[in-house]
Amino acid sequence: MGDIRQSLLPRDVLSAAKELLYHLDIYICNLVQSGRQPPQVDSKTLELVEEFILHAPKDRNTPARRMSALQELQLLEIMCSCFQEQSRDTVRQLMFSALFNLQGNQADESRMALLGKLVSMAVAVGRVPILECAANWLQRTHRVYCVRLAQVLVDDYCSMVPGSVPTLQNIHSASPRFCCQFITAVTTLYDLTSEELTPPLELLQMIVSWIQDDPRLVLITFLNTPLSGSQPISSLDVTPLGGLVRWCIKAPLAYRKDKKQALTNGSSESEPEAGLLFSALHLSVLQVFMLLPNILNEKGLYGRLALLQMESVAALTSDLSRLLDQADKHTHTSPADTHVLPQLALDRLAQALQVALASGALLCSREDLRAICSRLPHNNLLQLVLSGPVMYYNNIHTPPLAFSPHAAHSPIASHPTLPTHPALPTHPTLPTHPTLPTHTPHTPLASHPSSHPQYSTQPFMTGMPFPFRPTH
């Protein structure tokens, strides 16, 4: 395609970009039909994309070409139509890669700006092919750029235009794969370390409703993607489970610091509402964990593949310890802030650890857990989890896979795309448990069955969680 540059130079910026997209589509179709494996766009074509679509100057002596706001909008409409009309997914994916794969040069900023506008428009007008391509882009791109794209969508639909949240909410039905990747990106972006990194209430409501309606939504990337040693370093996690667990546990201590919603509403009524939403999210995340044993067993991965990484848990307990220390230093806080909310956070941590261990999502020893939780204050439920017997997995003699999205690991066979999944069946209400007495470290729980008749050590041995009501 290098020979078409001279024909593009005399054209105006919009006409040249439209012509290049037309030739790029033909070029990639021929590339796919040639049977070359893997099909790869050559460097000269990428240079044309940078010069005539991203408007990065070819050299210092060439003035940069610029589009007006109207021309840029017209280009976005042309690109939407181009992807919508192309029926071959392979061609669409290659074209999206040619346009938006980061090259480590000065054109990358233009790439990100155009990508954010294109995906935002695709959300607004329901262009599913673009959302599917963006889902793949999010899966293979450095997380720093993934959270930038997520930030654009949150700003556009949760902050800038009032009443536009329902439009973003529709991506759940339009493209579940993109929706899953979007959740992973926003839970990476908003880590509750500051007011700016606290999820807006509208975003929280939307994510809670998505997962309540479809608990398996957060597993779609894992279920439909072959896990192999080619997972890019510093990419997003394969599921948003780690980020969602972090939200639920840190929320009682961190979210109340966020005054943005209170200022917007003229009151602090958003805080109780946020508390209820995080409680509902916590229950939904636990239900997702309880889906995993059957899924992992079907794939032969139970006890071998950790979807909740130990490094993530260690970072979470460190953050939680810091938040608890800060809460202790604020003597002017209310009794709820100094006792109830810290215990709520610790209760949720204990529940998440127990269900993650029992479901095979977290692979570690109780000794390892006790080590990373050693700086946390006492909590009855957490003490029970940490003092429980060693977990046993069905395939205990099979060495675990060293899978991590941030490290090399053994290849796993490709997973076929799963059919549409049914909604999670309703769980009966479980009995509440009384406050548990403290167990001394040298006394095993199994030696006192009479003191806790509703608890049994058998669930620990079989990999099933003990009965409890998720903390609200």
Side-chain angles (χ1 to χ4, degrees):
M1 284 183 53
D3 55 343
I4 70 169
R5 182 173 183 270
Q6 296 302 319
S7 67
L8 296 175
L9 285 173
R11 295 174 177 264
D12 65 85
V13 287
L14 180 61
S15 176
K18 181 178 180 180
E19 184 72 12
L20 179 57
L21 284 172
Y22 170 76
H23 285 285
L24 183 62
D25 183 71
I26 295 175
Y27 165 75
I28 292 178
C29 284
N30 292 335
L31 189 64
V32 171
Q33 290 176 353
S34 69
R36 177 182 173 185
Q37 295 296 331
Q40 189 171 1
V41 177
D42 61 65
S43 60
K44 291 188 178 297
T45 301
L46 296 179
E47 290 175 1
L48 290 174
V49 168
E50 292 179 355
E51 183 176 2
F52 292 99
I53 295 179
L54 303 177
H55 305 122
K58 188 174 179 62
D59 53 63
R60 294 182 178 180
N61 298 324
T62 304
R65 297 159 67 95
R66 290 287 181 266
M67 282 188 175
S68 66
L70 178 58
Q71 287 175 322
E72 190 174 59
L73 178 60
Q74 291 173 321
L75 174 62
L76 293 173
E77 292 176 339
I78 292 169
M79 294 176 76
C80 281
S81 299
C82 181
F83 281 95
Q84 191 73 20
E85 294 167 3
Q86 175 53 251
S87 60
R88 302 177 65 180
D89 183 63
T90 304
V91 175
R92 289 196 300 259
Q93 295 290 348
L94 279 173
M95 182 176 293
F96 200 88
S97 298
L99 292 169
F100 300 114
N101 271 12
L102 301 175
Q103 303 297 321
N105 57 27
Q106 62 179 358
D108 282 349
E109 285 303 313
S110 298
R111 277 192 181 85
M112 289 302 302
L114 185 62
L115 174 64
K117 294 170 184 176
L118 179 65
V119 175
S120 185
M121 175 177 279
V123 170
V125 298
R127 292 292 184 256
V128 175
I130 291 178
L131 296 180
E132 290 291 305
C133 290
N136 281 341
W137 184 91
L138 286 166
Q139 195 172 336
R140 63 175 182 263
T141 304
H142 195 291
R143 61 175 56 200
V144 169
Y145 295 96
C146 295
V147 300
R148 283 180 58 178
L149 177 58
Q151 182 72 74
V152 169
L153 297 179
V154 173
D155 289 344
D156 286 353
Y157 290 95
C158 298
S159 301
M160 294 179 61
V161 183
S164 59
V165 172
T167 303
L168 182 60
Q169 191 158 6
N170 290 335
I171 65 173
H172 172 213
S173 55
S175 176
R177 290 180 64 239
F178 178 78
C179 187
C180 178
Q181 291 295 108
F182 175 73
I183 296 173
T184 306
V186 295
T187 55
T188 304
L189 168 63
Y190 295 105
D191 60 3
L192 280 77
T193 56
S194 67
E195 289 187 12
E196 292 73 20
L197 296 179
T198 299
L201 191 63
E202 296 85 353
L203 176 64
L204 178 62
Q205 289 173 323
M206 184 167 53
I207 291 177
V208 170
S209 68
W210 281 338
I211 303 177
Q212 284 181 328
D213 292 343
D214 187 1
R216 291 179 66 144
L217 173 67
V218 298
L219 302 176
I220 283 181
T221 301
F222 165 63
L223 294 174
N224 294 280
T225 304
L227 302 178
S228 68
S230 62
Q231 187 80 8
I233 296 174
S234 298
S235 62
L236 293 174
D237 292 340
V238 72
T239 75
L241 285 172
L244 293 172
V245 167
R246 180 172 60 245
W247 276 15
C248 297
I249 293 171
K250 293 177 64 174
L253 298 169
Y255 198 88
R256 59 193 172 88
K257 296 179 181 179
D258 180 21
K259 302 302 181 186
K260 291 179 291 185
Q261 297 293 339
L263 292 173
T264 301
N265 300 333
S267 68
S268 60
E269 294 178 355
S270 65
E271 291 187 20
E273 184 177 356
L276 293 175
L277 288 170
F278 279 115
S279 177
L281 180 62
H282 179 59
L283 174 60
S284 296
V285 170
L286 296 181
Q287 290 174 335
V288 173
F289 277 124
M290 295 174 70
L291 294 173
L292 287 175
N294 288 339
I295 294 173
L296 293 173
N297 273 320
E298 289 173 2
K299 297 179 177 297
L301 299 176
Y302 188 83
R304 302 178 62 214
L305 177 63
L307 292 180
L308 185 62
Q309 296 296 312
M310 190 62 178
E311 295 84 357
S312 175
V313 176
L316 173 58
T317 56
S318 177
D319 288 347
L320 186 57
S321 176
R322 177 181 52 80
L323 288 170
L324 291 168
D325 289 343
Q326 292 175 355
D328 288 340
K329 293 176 183 178
H330 295 163
T331 56
H332 61 278
T333 54
S334 66
D337 291 342
T338 57
H339 179 71
V340 177
L341 295 179
Q343 288 300 312
L344 175 60
L346 292 169
D347 282 347
R348 288 182 179 174
L349 173 64
Q351 292 170 352
L353 289 177
Q354 171 57 23
V355 178
L357 282 169
S359 65
L362 176 62
L363 306 180
C364 67
S365 66
R366 302 281 175 173
E367 289 75 15
D368 291 336
L369 280 184
R370 284 192 283 269
I372 66 173
C373 295
S374 60
R375 294 186 57 202
L376 298 176
H378 176 79
N379 173 269
N380 288 333
L381 190 56
L382 183 60
Q383 180 68 24
L384 177 64
V385 173
L386 297 180
S387 61
V390 177
M391 295 294 299
Y392 290 91
Y393 300 104
N394 294 351
N395 50 351
I396 191 171
H397 299 295
T398 306
L401 293 173
F403 171 74
S404 169
H406 316 302
H409 49 273
S410 303
I412 304 174
S414 298
H415 305 308
T417 301
L418 297 185
T420 302
H421 43 76
L424 184 72
T426 303
H427 295 282
T429 302
L430 299 174
T432 58
H433 54 73
T435 301
L436 299 176
T438 303
H439 295 284
T440 53
H442 64 276
T443 306
L445 182 64
S447 63
H448 300 285
S450 60
S451 60
H452 308 292
Q454 74 272 44
Y455 295 104
S456 167
T457 57
Q458 186 61 30
F460 286 99
M461 306 298 288
T462 58
M464 295 302 294
F466 56 80
F468 64 89
R469 182 190 297 277
T471 301
H472 299 287

